[in-house]
Amino acid sequence: MLLFALGFLLAILQPCTGQFPRVCANVQSLLSKECCPPWDGDGSPCGELSGRGSCQNILLSQAPLGPQFPFSGVDDREDWPSVFYNRTCRCEGNFMGFRCGECKFGFSGLNCTERQLKTRRNIFQLTVSEKNKFLAYLNLAKNIPSQDYVIATGTYAQMNNGSNPMFRDISVYDLFVWMHYYASRDTLLGGSSVWRDIDFAHEAPGFLPWHRVFLLMWERQIQRITGDENFTIPYWDWRDAEDCEVCNDEYMGGRHPTNPNLLSPASIFYSWQVICTRSEEYNSQQALCSARSEGPIRRNPGNNDKSRTPRLPSSADVEFCLSLTQYESGPMDKMANYSFRNTLEGFADPQTAISNPAQSGLHNALHIYMNGSMSQVQGSANDPIFLLHHAFVDSIFERWLRRHRPMLEVYPAANAPIGHNRENYMVPFIPLYRNGEFFKSSRELGYDYEYLQEPALQSFQDFLTPYLQQARQIWAWLVGAAVFGGIVTAVLTGLIRACQKKKGGTSSEIQPLLTESEDYNNITYQSNF
């Protein structure tokens, strides 16, 4: 009870990172298309008086998109977030947030100058106290309303282009469930028509960066509503697992004794209600999910379609996936071959890397195996196992980044499916994040994984690596400069020797610059540089 009361108080006092800022969910902000609220520290928009940021026009990527979405101007998520806002806070330095009131991931302190590195741990390595605290935090987030964010219950057109705002409150946990739904929902085309081949968080290059941001934001919210700044999301290492090891009442909930599709009454998750699971109903009504309760969490692990997902992923599957050198390839969607992203996401065979959407490997295999709320894309985040699962998927992404050390240019700049180009803003996050900003080591974002931590020597190598990569990019120029310098030096040396031969002998002008009688100790070797 004390933890719950403390968390409730902190939730009231602390901001929350998520979707539509409450202060911008009004007629004035929507009609002006501006979301630049004042920072509480100085009362100026975006904390401009304190040098935190300023209100700026949003710079949208003009890079061409892939052919998967043949429409324009029919979906609020196109060129996110320009349908709702075209001016937002652009933060300076290490500041972040929709009002520049927070620190970027990996920084802390009053002026966001202190680097921090936190460690995500295996859930089975937590002490009983740590594990129980994690479960309590989850339950707290499910029951605490988000103070700074609301969700949209209608499209911009249904809001009469902003003159009739349609938003509602939501809990901290369900806010993230709704965001996952909103990013992956179908496009409503009017009447009874929808377009299904669209997803701003899956089936394309942004899959891994998008979920990385999702977890970082969720992690920060738990830190805030509990006051536990050291909290990190645990992961479930499911490699070679024979069954769902976390599916018991000690962890994420066991089976119901009489209904195998439901959770055990002894689990704290038994009373949880899911949202955003009825996509066909929303499509038929041409409506958005309004986050109303839609029943309990459903889960029946292992009783899935074995022809599609015969087993949980193996260590060999993961190692083969990590050996792939291309992050993305071909059409850059679920039909991509030899793509690390597509293989890890699970649309390509984890033994050949050839696309096979009829099968589900790696990431997808876990979702299908759970055989319930986790198995439907739009509502999968309702099951808290989602967090443990995606934390481990992110760790595999991190292993690939450390093994192959790709430059940012490896992430596609153009021709990816809508919303997935490098400079596209991720839907539906406000503050704004670009896909390419999270195509880098987790250490730069302030976190690491316990099983990936390396000795100090490797850290030194990591420090040198970026400089070596830059040198490799300009090696041709360096070699050319060295050759040219050698030629110039040879020519000058030849001229000097020729002059010396002409003069002959040893004149008084050709003497050492310093003699023993001069004050040698007063000479210094400081350069102006």
Side-chain angles (χ1 to χ4, degrees):
M1 289 298 294
L2 178 61
L3 176 62
F4 187 91
L6 177 60
F8 185 81
L9 177 61
L10 287 166
I12 293 176
L13 297 177
Q14 295 286 356
C16 172
T17 303
Q19 221 257 332
F20 289 94
R22 186 182 298 273
V23 294
C24 298
N26 53 65
V27 173
Q28 180 180 352
S29 296
L30 291 174
L31 293 182
S32 67
K33 290 184 174 289
E34 180 174 295
C35 183
C36 296
W39 175 53
D40 294 339
D42 62 14
S44 66
C46 312
E48 185 171 9
L49 293 179
S50 300
R52 286 178 166 257
S54 59
C55 191
Q56 298 285 333
N57 292 331
I58 294 172
L59 301 178
L60 297 173
S61 171
Q62 301 301 314
L65 301 172
Q68 293 84 353
F69 188 71
F71 305 97
S72 178
V74 299
D75 194 310
D76 291 346
R77 299 167 297 178
E78 297 176 52
D79 288 327
W80 180 262
S82 62
V83 169
F84 295 95
Y85 312 108
N86 54 31
R87 284 174 61 82
T88 61
C89 288
R90 188 180 304 168
C91 304
E92 302 294 337
N94 295 328
F95 297 114
M96 188 182 79
F98 66 83
R99 54 163 59 100
C100 301
E102 309 172 34
C103 295
K104 281 184 177 179
F105 300 117
F107 291 88
S108 63
L110 291 177
N111 295 313
C112 301
T113 55
E114 301 171 17
R115 292 286 318 201
Q116 57 180 197
L117 185 67
K118 299 174 182 178
T119 302
R120 292 178 180 172
R121 300 167 58 198
N122 189 318
I123 191 168
F124 294 118
Q125 298 300 318
L126 302 181
T127 65
V128 173
S129 175
E130 291 169 334
K131 180 261 298 178
N132 289 339
K133 183 167 63 174
F134 168 62
L135 298 180
Y137 287 176
L138 284 169
N139 209 35
L140 179 64
K142 184 70 172 180
N143 292 282
I144 290 294
S146 172
Q147 296 300 304
D148 270 22
Y149 281 85
V150 292
I151 62 167
T153 57
T155 65
Y156 193 68
Q158 291 168 348
M159 295 184 196
N160 196 20
N161 297 329
S163 61
N164 180 34
M166 298 172 64
F167 300 98
R168 65 162 294 186
D169 295 335
I170 195 168
S171 75
V172 171
Y173 188 94
D174 285 347
L175 171 67
F176 286 86
V177 176
W178 190 91
M179 288 194 293
H180 190 266
Y181 147 79
Y182 190 82
S184 56
R185 70 174 179 84
D186 301 330
T187 293
L188 306 177
L189 296 175
S192 58
S193 300
V194 298
W195 185 262
R196 301 180 188 277
D197 191 14
I198 184 171
D199 195 316
F200 290 84
H202 306 87
E203 303 181 19
F207 166 68
L208 292 167
W210 191 96
H211 286 83
R212 172 164 280 194
V213 174
F214 181 92
L215 293 178
L216 282 166
M217 293 168 60
W218 192 91
E219 200 167 58
R220 179 166 289 190
Q221 290 322 296
I222 296 298
Q223 294 166 0
R224 285 180 170 170
I225 67 174
T226 63
D228 184 355
E229 290 298 319
N230 294 315
F231 169 79
T232 54
I233 300 172
Y235 58 87
W236 171 31
D237 183 348
W238 33 249
R239 291 173 296 180
D240 305 313
E242 296 183 359
D243 54 29
C244 180
E245 302 165 329
V246 296
C247 295
N248 54 62
D249 291 336
E250 183 181 358
Y251 287 94
M252 311 309 290
R255 292 183 192 272
H256 193 283
T258 60
N259 187 340
N261 294 315
L262 301 179
L263 301 186
S264 164
S267 168
I268 65 170
F269 305 114
Y270 173 73
S271 61
W272 279 29
Q273 292 285 301
V274 301
I275 64 171
C276 302
T277 62
R278 301 174 180 172
S279 58
E280 293 307 315
E281 178 181 314
Y282 314 143
N283 288 347
S284 65
Q285 298 173 355
Q286 294 287 293
L288 299 184
C289 165
S290 61
R292 305 292 180 185
S293 297
E294 296 175 350
I297 293 175
R298 304 182 70 83
R299 187 196 302 155
N300 191 349
N303 290 323
N304 56 288
D305 181 358
K306 296 297 192 298
S307 65
R308 181 175 178 184
T309 306
R311 58 175 174 79
L312 288 171
S314 67
S315 296
D317 294 339
V318 173
E319 289 305 316
F320 174 80
C321 182
L322 288 169
S323 72
L324 299 171
T325 57
Q326 296 184 85
Y327 178 76
E328 199 54 86
S329 67
M332 296 183 277
D333 57 19
K334 62 184 177 183
M335 300 307 295
N337 295 324
Y338 308 111
S339 156
F340 165 74
R341 186 277 312 163
N342 203 36
T343 305
L344 178 54
E345 188 169 359
F347 292 108
D349 190 303
Q351 297 176 344
T352 65
I354 300 298
S355 172
N356 185 4
Q359 297 286 311
S360 296
L362 292 173
H363 157 265
N364 287 350
L366 255 292
H367 282 278
I368 300 300
Y369 178 87
M370 289 302 163
N371 195 31
S373 301
M374 273 271 283
S375 305
Q376 183 210 39
V377 175
Q378 296 178 16
S380 58
N382 278 292
D383 191 328
I385 290 179
F386 179 96
L387 298 167
L388 307 181
H389 171 43
H390 272 277
F392 190 65
V393 170
D394 183 74
S395 78
I396 298 173
F397 177 36
E398 181 61 22
R399 289 180 65 187
W400 186 86
L401 289 171
R402 295 185 191 183
R403 178 178 297 189
H404 300 281
R405 303 187 183 281
M407 302 298 288
L408 177 59
E409 289 71 22
V410 168
Y411 189 98
N415 300 313
I418 184 170
H420 288 266
N421 283 341
R422 186 193 307 157
E423 297 302 314
N424 287 150
Y425 291 116
M426 298 182 189
V427 175
F429 304 138
I430 299 176
L432 305 178
Y433 306 110
R434 297 184 190 272
N435 290 307
E437 293 173 6
F438 293 84
F439 191 72
K440 59 185 177 183
S441 173
S442 66
R443 293 178 183 139
E444 296 182 52
L445 299 169
Y447 71 99
D448 200 353
Y449 287 93
E450 188 174 39
Y451 82 108
L452 299 184
Q453 290 179 333
E454 300 163 337
L457 176 60
Q458 184 62 44
S459 298
F460 180 68
Q461 291 173 341
D462 290 343
F463 173 77
L464 288 178
T465 295
Y467 301 100
L468 294 175
Q469 289 174 333
Q470 291 178 15
R472 187 162 58 245
Q473 286 185 315
I474 61 173
W475 72 272
W477 181 87
L478 291 174
V479 170
V483 171
F484 179 76
I487 294 173
V488 171
T489 301
V491 171
L492 291 176
T493 301
L495 291 173
I496 292 172
R497 287 180 177 175
C499 292
Q500 289 176 340
K501 286 182 178 180
K502 286 185 178 181
K503 291 184 177 181
T506 302
S507 71
S508 59
E509 294 178 356
I510 307 176
Q511 296 294 333
L513 295 178
L514 294 175
T515 64
E516 293 180 0
S517 62
E518 292 180 292
D519 189 0
Y520 187 86
N521 292 328
N522 289 335
I523 306 277
T524 63
Y525 291 88
Q526 290 180 321
S527 69
N528 291 329
F529 180 76

